[in-house]
Amino acid sequence: MNHPDLPPIRDPQLKLEALTHRSYCNEHPGTPSYDRLEFLGDAVLGFVVGRILFERYPHFTEAELTRLRSQLVNQNQLAYLARFLDIAPEIRLSQSLAREDGQSSPSILSDVFESLLGAALLDGGLPAVENFIAELFVPILEQWEKSQDGRSPKPVPTMDVKSMLQQWSLAKTKQLPEYELIDASGPPHAREFTFTVKVTGKIHGQGSGPSKQIATKQAALEALKGLGLLQ
Amino acid sequence: MNHPDLPPIRDPQLKLEALTHRSYCNEHPGTPSYDRLEFLGDAVLGFVVGRILFERYPHFTEAELTRLRSQLVNQNQLAYLARFLDIAPEIRLSQSLAREDGQSSPSILSDVFESLLGAALLDGGLPAVENFIAELFVPILEQWEKSQDGRSPKPVPTMDVKSMLQQWSLAKTKQLPEYELIDASGPPHAREFTFTVKVTGKIHGQGSGPSKQIATKQAALEALKGLGLLQ
């Protein structure tokens, strides 16, 4: 996927409001916080993702649609998307919260992701917001669909760490991450595998575990932490 | 307010799906139930009501907007609107559930209200659904605004029984209900008031209580029950 930009918010005051945490307002009385815009953004996000899922999965039950949506719009997923869009440096916090690295809080990142959607809705209307949401969420769904083996009757999507790293790598470098087995030791009943993961040839993480799957996941996890995409 | 019709759903299959409870599908295998459409309708309702509140109450906090919306789109309110729109006779249920008067269940009425919104969205697009939702909910908000005394800092709307009867009466007859004091008895510290309520001159209910407010509410409650608008 291409790295989607934030939807353009032409009104600078509106964009600033969407990026302003209430702690900043305590230090700057009269400044509006992002909370109202977050309410609006949450509403439009739930609707747009719901409509995408309804149309994309005509054979899913209501329960499956509900579960799928809750996994797509939960705090961790939205915080991940906010990191992916590099929103954090623009968030306005109180001085003390900024010192505590409040910009990295999943709760604040997820809130700001929604408040920016609310501001974009006011600024540019629903179609622009729908396109933006689809650009972000359809690739996640495509990856999830590929991961299905067609046997499990109740698919449960997760944005796992390897998918997250792949999405980041494709967006930033247009190349896939490469996992390399660098060690396999121990007796057959207690093997230990070690993998590195490279992006454009550079090692970003290393992980070990009793299966190749676990070891590569550990490597991806370390890479994401090193990139600041996970805590 | 004028009595809003259901939004027109031109596709008869879609409308039938929106009116079909899953118990009916057990008896008629292969028939789709309203559940998926309810998912879609719930999503569009939350968004549209959220946007109405956001625009109508620019000074409300996120918490106030959230609470107001939850009081507008809860099961009782939606079931009331479904009764108001006279949806119940069209709902398709299993024979046993129909015998148990399942059409009157607030849960089923509220579900069908949402599934019809979902079908209308698919059939006619968002603007038609937005108009329909605004026609229903803005009068409720207008009544609620009038009931505020401007002193309570955190307004809490309720669709009380007198407002419900007034909305029904205006829609059906274009006249307001009339409350008439027919008796006041008892000593000053234990008065008992009795009121009747008339719509176009016909008595629809009677109620008694220790204050005029309680007695008129009781009368409205009896009228709504007699009209089948409340259980």
Side-chain angles (χ1 to χ4, degrees), chain A:
Chain A
M1 83 190 257
N2 295 318
H3 186 179
D5 290 319
L6 283 177
I9 301 169
R10 289 158 299 185
D11 179 344
Q13 283 304 317
L14 193 59
K15 184 168 180 185
L16 216 49
E17 180 174 334
L19 292 162
T20 303
H21 185 259
R22 67 195 77 92
S23 67
Y24 182 92
C25 308
N26 294 337
E27 294 178 356
H28 301 78
T31 311
S33 75
Y34 64 56
D35 295 277
R36 277 176 50 86
L37 291 171
E38 181 205 339
F39 170 83
L40 188 63
D42 176 81
V44 73
L45 179 65
F47 168 53
V48 172
V49 170
R51 180 147 80 167
I52 289 170
L53 299 182
F54 182 91
E55 289 171 357
R56 193 172 180 95
Y57 304 109
H59 299 296
F60 273 26
T61 64
E62 182 203 8
E64 288 166 337
L65 294 171
T66 300
R67 184 172 51 198
L68 186 47
R69 184 173 56 182
S70 75
Q71 289 172 349
L72 286 169
V73 301
N74 66 27
Q75 182 179 290
N76 283 339
Q77 184 73 260
L78 301 188
Y80 161 70
L81 291 171
R83 289 187 198 103
F84 180 64
L85 295 167
D86 217 12
I87 290 170
E90 298 188 62
I91 301 174
R92 300 202 297 179
L93 300 165
S94 69
Q95 293 186 6
S96 64
L97 204 53
R99 273 194 303 273
E100 294 162 18
D101 197 26
Q103 284 95 337
S104 300
S105 144
S107 159
I108 292 175
L109 284 168
S110 143
D111 287 354
V112 173
F113 179 81
E114 292 184 328
S115 66
L116 285 166
L117 293 180
L121 177 69
L122 292 178
D123 197 75
L126 184 62
V129 175
E130 284 188 303
N131 286 340
F132 176 72
I133 291 173
E135 274 183 33
L136 280 175
F137 283 93
V138 169
I140 295 175
L141 290 171
E142 285 170 346
Q143 286 184 8
W144 168 65
E145 288 159 14
K146 281 184 206 146
S147 75
Q148 301 302 304
D149 57 10
R151 280 174 298 178
S152 40
K154 304 284 181 203
V156 176
T158 50
M159 186 64 178
D160 66 272
V161 289
K162 286 173 72 174
S163 301
M164 283 172 69
L165 185 62
Q166 179 176 318
Q167 195 179 31
W168 177 86
S169 176
L170 284 172
K172 295 287 183 186
T173 73
K174 302 202 190 305
Q175 293 183 36
L176 288 168
E178 292 171 79
Y179 295 88
E180 190 178 339
L181 178 66
I182 58 166
D183 191 43
S185 57
H189 63 279
R191 299 284 278 175
E192 170 90 356
F193 299 91
T194 300
F195 276 82
T196 55
V197 60
K198 293 179 185 173
V199 176
T200 61
K202 180 180 173 238
I203 293 178
H204 277 261
Q206 177 173 320
S208 300
S211 74
K212 291 181 181 181
Q213 201 184 12
I214 292 171
T216 51
K217 275 194 180 178
Q218 286 297 322
L221 187 62
E222 189 178 286
L224 289 169
K225 287 180 176 174
L227 291 162
L229 291 166
L230 270 185
Q231 292 191 289

